[in-house]
Amino acid sequence: MSRIRIIPVLLLRKGGLYKTVRFKNAAYVGDPINTVKIFNEKEADELVVLDYNASLDGSAIDYKKITEIAGEAFMPMGYGGGIKTLEDAKKVFDAGYEKVVLNSILFNDISLIEKIGHIYGAQAVVCAIDVKKNLFGKYKTYSHSGTKSTNWTPVEWVKQLEANGAGEILLNSIEQDGTWGGYDLELVKLVAPAIGIPLIVCGGAGNTGDFIKAVQTGASAVAAGSMFVYQKKGMGVLISFPTGFSI
C-alpha cells in the first residue's frame, strides 16, 4: 500500500477563510490561525493558503497575516496570491513558507518560475492552473480567479510551465470547485500524461474514494477545500482530515 499525499487548500480573503462554489458565492468559514492549529493536531501532510482575490483586485500581499499563519503551522506550507515579482516571492519564503504558488502572473511573466527556482529550487515553485470548459465543450485555462479566458488548453499550458521550470502543477477544476461531486477525471486523464512533474488535482472532492480515483487516474497528490472545512455538503463548518489514508 502507498500513502496518498493529501493537501487542504485554504482560501484567504481580508484575513479570514472562505470557501467558494465554482469560484463564486464565497462563504466565510472561520479564522485561519485556529484552522491551522486544528490541522496541526490532525497531522495534515501540508497546507496551501491562497489569497484568491489578490490577483483579481490587485491587492497587496498581507505579509503580517500570512506570517502569523505560517508561524502556527507544524507542516510544510505553500502560499499563493498576489505574487508578481521575485522580491514578492522572497518575502513569502521569509514569512515561513516552503513553496510559492503562481498562477495569473505567469501569463505575463513566465520567466518568474525560473527566477524563483534558481534561488529556492524547482520544488519550491507550484504552478496552479484553473480550468473549465468553454461553450463548445473544450477545456480552456483561465486566469484571475477564473474570470479571464487565456485561450490556452490545459495540456498546452502545463507543458509550457514544466518547460520553464515548474516543480509541481496544481490543477483546479472551476466547474467542480465546491460541488462535492468528485474530481474531473476526464481532465486528469488529459493532463497527467503530458507532464513529468507531480500533478496535484483539486476541485470537487467529496470523500476519500475520490482521492483513490484521482491517483488511479494519474494524479500524484490530491487537494481539497470543502471536504476539510465542512461536516458535509450543506452542513456547518467542521475542520477535518483523513489521517494515515493510503491505497
Side-chain angles (χ1 to χ4, degrees):
M1 297 179 70
S2 59
R3 193 165 183 271
I4 297 178
R5 184 172 151 224
I6 304 171
I7 307 167
V9 175
L10 307 178
L11 300 182
L12 186 68
R13 186 178 74 177
K14 296 181 179 179
L17 289 183
Y18 288 77
K19 188 65 196 77
T20 57
V21 177
R22 297 190 173 99
F23 282 35
K24 299 177 181 178
N25 303 318
Y28 179 75
V29 295
D31 174 69
I33 302 298
N34 291 334
T35 301
V36 169
K37 288 179 179 178
I38 295 171
F39 281 123
N40 283 336
E41 296 171 359
K42 296 183 177 298
E43 300 181 340
D45 298 314
E46 60 186 276
L47 292 178
V48 168
V49 176
L50 301 177
D51 188 333
Y52 67 97
N53 238 32
S55 294
L56 188 60
D57 61 19
S59 58
I61 298 171
D62 187 345
Y63 291 107
K64 183 177 183 294
K65 175 57 68 174
I66 69 170
T67 300
E68 290 176 357
I69 295 171
E72 293 294 338
F74 296 161
M75 74 290 287
M77 295 279 285
Y79 171 80
I83 300 172
K84 300 181 179 68
T85 66
L86 177 59
E87 187 60 32
D88 290 338
K90 287 180 177 179
K91 290 180 180 179
V92 171
F93 288 118
D94 289 344
Y97 293 80
E98 286 77 19
K99 298 178 181 181
V100 292
V101 183
L102 307 176
N103 192 334
S104 298
I105 185 60
L106 299 179
F107 296 102
N108 296 321
D109 183 13
I110 201 168
S111 69
L112 185 58
I113 301 172
E114 185 176 1
K115 292 173 184 175
I116 297 172
H118 180 71
I119 298 173
Y120 297 97
Q123 82 290 337
V125 185
V126 180
C127 293
I129 73 168
D130 301 324
V131 178
K132 68 179 178 181
K133 290 180 178 178
N134 63 15
L135 294 175
F136 303 102
K138 303 294 184 181
Y139 285 113
K140 291 294 180 180
T141 300
Y142 286 71
S143 68
H144 296 82
S145 295
T147 62
K148 295 184 179 181
S149 175
T150 68
N151 292 319
W152 286 90
T153 70
V155 170
E156 291 169 341
W157 189 234
V158 294
K159 287 181 177 180
Q160 285 289 319
L161 297 174
E162 181 177 25
N164 280 273
E168 295 181 310
I169 300 295
L170 174 61
L171 177 66
N172 200 350
S173 168
I174 296 172
E175 291 165 310
Q176 293 300 106
D177 170 61
T179 66
W180 299 71
Y183 296 111
D184 187 336
L185 299 181
E186 179 185 351
L187 178 60
V188 177
K189 288 178 183 178
L190 286 174
V191 174
I195 53 175
I197 56 177
L199 175 67
I200 308 163
V201 297
C202 190
N207 55 63
T208 54
D210 291 329
F211 297 160
I212 296 172
K213 291 175 184 177
V215 172
Q216 291 176 337
T217 306
S220 308
V222 294
S226 294
M227 183 178 163
F228 298 143
V229 298
Y230 290 122
Q231 295 180 54
K232 290 183 179 180
K233 185 176 182 180
M235 297 182 68
V237 174
L238 177 66
I239 308 302
S240 63
F241 185 79
T243 56
F245 187 75
S246 59
I247 59 173

